[in-house]
Amino acid sequence: MDDGDAPPLVLPLASVRADDVPAVGGKAANLGELIGAGLPVPAGFVVTTAAYRAHAARVGLDPSRAASDPAAARDLLASAPLDAATEHAVTAALIELGPEDVAVAVRSSATAEDLPGAAFAGQQDTFLDVSGPDAVLDAVRRCWASLWTDRAADYRTRQGIDPAEVAIAVVVQRMVPAEAAGVLFTADPLTGRRGELVVDAAPGLGEAVVSGEVTPEHLVLGRDGAVHSRRLQHGRVRPVLADAPAAQLASLAVRAERHFSALAGEVWPQDIEWALADGRISLVQARPMTALPLEPPDLDLVQRTVGPFFLEMFATRPYPLDVTAWLGPGVVRMLHLMAGSVGVRFPPLDQLVRGRDGVPLQLVPPRPRPSLSTLGAPLSVARRVRRFDVGRWTEDPLFAAFRSEVAALDAEDPATLDWQGLLDRVDRCNAAMEPLGKIRVRYLPGSFVPFLPLRALLGVLGLGRLAPRLVAGGRTRTRDGNDALEALAAVVRADPELARAARELAPAGFLEAIRTRPEFAAFAVRLDAFLAEYGHRESVSIVIATAPTWRDDPLPVAALLTTLAEMPPADRAHDPGAAALAELLGHPALRSQRASAVARGIVEACRRGLAFREDTHFYITALMPPLRATFLELGRRLAAAGALVVPEDVFHLRLEELRDLADPAVMGDAEADRVRGLAARRARLRREYAGVPMLDPSLFGGRRGSGADAAGALLAGTPASAGVAEGPVRIVLGSEGFADLRTGEVLVCPNTNPSWTPLFARAAAVVVDTGGLGSHAAIVAREYGVPAVMGTGRGTSVLRDGQRVRVDGSRGRVDPA
């Protein structure tokens, strides 16, 4: 390539557009678009990525080595002088910009910066109020060097960006002598609502706001510029941003959002930096908002009521494959079957889970719709209550058919199937749920009916407070599993060598010892038997089949055993259910043998009903290990063909996309590249939304736990299990922390599922970020007689390990002890 074909080293800012990102970076391209749209942007130019690449090549920078040793890369780039061509181009552009002493802002503009899903906010450097050619040239070198700060290199690694593909340009603009500056979001970054603009403003330059050095003035504006609310800076009596410039800013921001939305083909809210000087607003940066929640849905009373239950199921974001290969054809299909049995239409999958590019981003609690058939539901329900005895549901031939199909799936090795056979196996796993769905249709009415007379009985006797403990006292498969785990712990306690291994080794080492040391062979057999019977339970949620169960990864079981083995056996004499029943039967109105028998029968019927619902859930999850094994085999085939980096990347694909693929054994390179790029793109989007919940708990009465929800409380939430207990906090975020909980500590966790229940026997109390009265954690807490508060919103972030608290499960409060 001759000099005439060489890419330019400097470009006028007004000449660049969105297509020029490879040459000018994201920040410069966005500023050029603003100028092209007629919006006020300070004049300037761009030192292109061609100048950076030439400089990097001249000093011998290797991107792979730079990623592992960023400090050396920074030294290389910052210490070497610019070549004569670049120095001349920058100096000439400065002369065109104004007098020699004109003050400029010198800002980094990386090729992976200020783009959808990768804001890179604050990762590269900015230099303000720079004057003179020598100072500007030095600032350019320092911006180049900032591409390799430790924070920027780490950010790119987490975003999955190849260091060899990234480059940096530098924007040089006239400084705005700002009287005030700040940021504006064209949507609420916390709730996702698009109807208002959110502004932070401070006197002087905007860097103090962006860097968090000051607490700014906070405004909420209408899209018409009207000030809806304003919180002044502490100590100020006059606003930083008066109403007139606020309206001007709103108008410019709305125009900017419309421009970028037109480019994107969809509404794309913007994060805008602005400056105010001489009564005029200038825009100095614009980029798409990242991790912005979808617009929150408007919920009716039914949705607000069921919201906490469904949010607990979606406390962790499912993968695209979870939604399309399990939630839709399995779980939701069963819900359709159950709702249809009473003439109710359950909403389709796309109304329950909303997303972008196939990635689930938002849960919308279901809004079931009655139909004319609902009028006949009472008769249908009464018929099923008479015909199907909930106490004998396991004798139903449908249950035998279900167990037979699960056994066949467990016995089958997915590796022996061809590509179509694997896809058919996904369908078989989901079809196997249908018999249990029919069982629920048959027996579920009978599981609920006994609660009506119980509620009436307790109401008449004034003993309503006993209801949760009364019904939680029955046997369930979950309780059986907890007892079996306690029995394993008893074996460990009784065996000196096992006990020493549990005491001295970390859970991973203990598990390895069980698997490899000959003297532990008998215990390994017992552990395998436990996993075969109980290890299929979901480790995250019933809607997430991609997560490993205990059978797939027994490490959480090993962690629980190391904890249980060093403590005395659980006190089985304390049975809250038995104590509650004794109190009920001790009431004077129930002293006769007949009355006592009737009351006992009602309670037992309720317990059978609750056990039916819990146990059918238990058996449904038996389909999750064979389904996950199928997913991973699909992933292994694609990874072997180069279409995925690792087998688990298959979780980012949708089932219909897998059906459309050719057998990986004959897949072409172009198709493999497309699939690998699709999975990588969705992985980045998933990482972007990692901290955004599927639905804001406050939409249906969930509490933020700020301390203002109840006077003097550290946290407030839903009263879920009665009683008061004190103890030190132990925050457990996941199964990796199971071994940390000690007897008498207050378990504080983001959410729970059945795999957590052994911890409840050790906890003094339970505090959970999500969930409500009917959530799994609440039911188990009542069964164990442990005070519990649900739906605190952010207990895991407000409380700290070792902090002594008083948990009032009757009032839903967590107070200092």
Side-chain angles (χ1 to χ4, degrees), residues 63 67 110-120 124 147-148 152-167 680 684 687:
T111 52
E113 182 178 6
D114 286 359
L115 302 175
F120 275 79
Q124 279 85 225
L147 185 66
W148 298 102
D154 179 67
Y155 190 94
R156 286 194 295 273
T157 299
R158 287 186 284 112
Q159 290 283 336
I161 295 172
D162 186 341
E165 295 179 358
V166 72
R684 287 194 295 271
R687 286 193 297 270

Side-chain angles (χ1 to χ4, degrees), residues 518-538:
E519 63 270 34
F520 296 159
F523 185 77
V525 171
R526 295 189 65 158
L527 176 60
D528 287 341
F530 170 84
L531 294 173
E533 183 72 14
Y534 301 105
H536 61 263
R537 291 308 302 261
E538 71 273 31

Side-chain angles (χ1 to χ4, degrees), residues 45 90 94 97-108 125-143 170-176 205:
F45 60 89
V90 173
L94 272 174
L97 197 58
E100 184 173 329
D101 61 349
V102 65
V104 296
V106 183
R107 301 175 185 270
S108 304
D125 286 345
T126 289
F127 302 95
L128 302 178
D129 219 8
V130 181
S131 297
D134 290 344
V136 170
L137 293 171
D138 179 63
V140 168
R141 287 199 306 272
R142 290 160 69 190
C143 281
V170 179
V171 175
V172 180
Q173 288 175 282
R174 283 186 179 177
M175 277 293 298
V176 177
L205 302 176

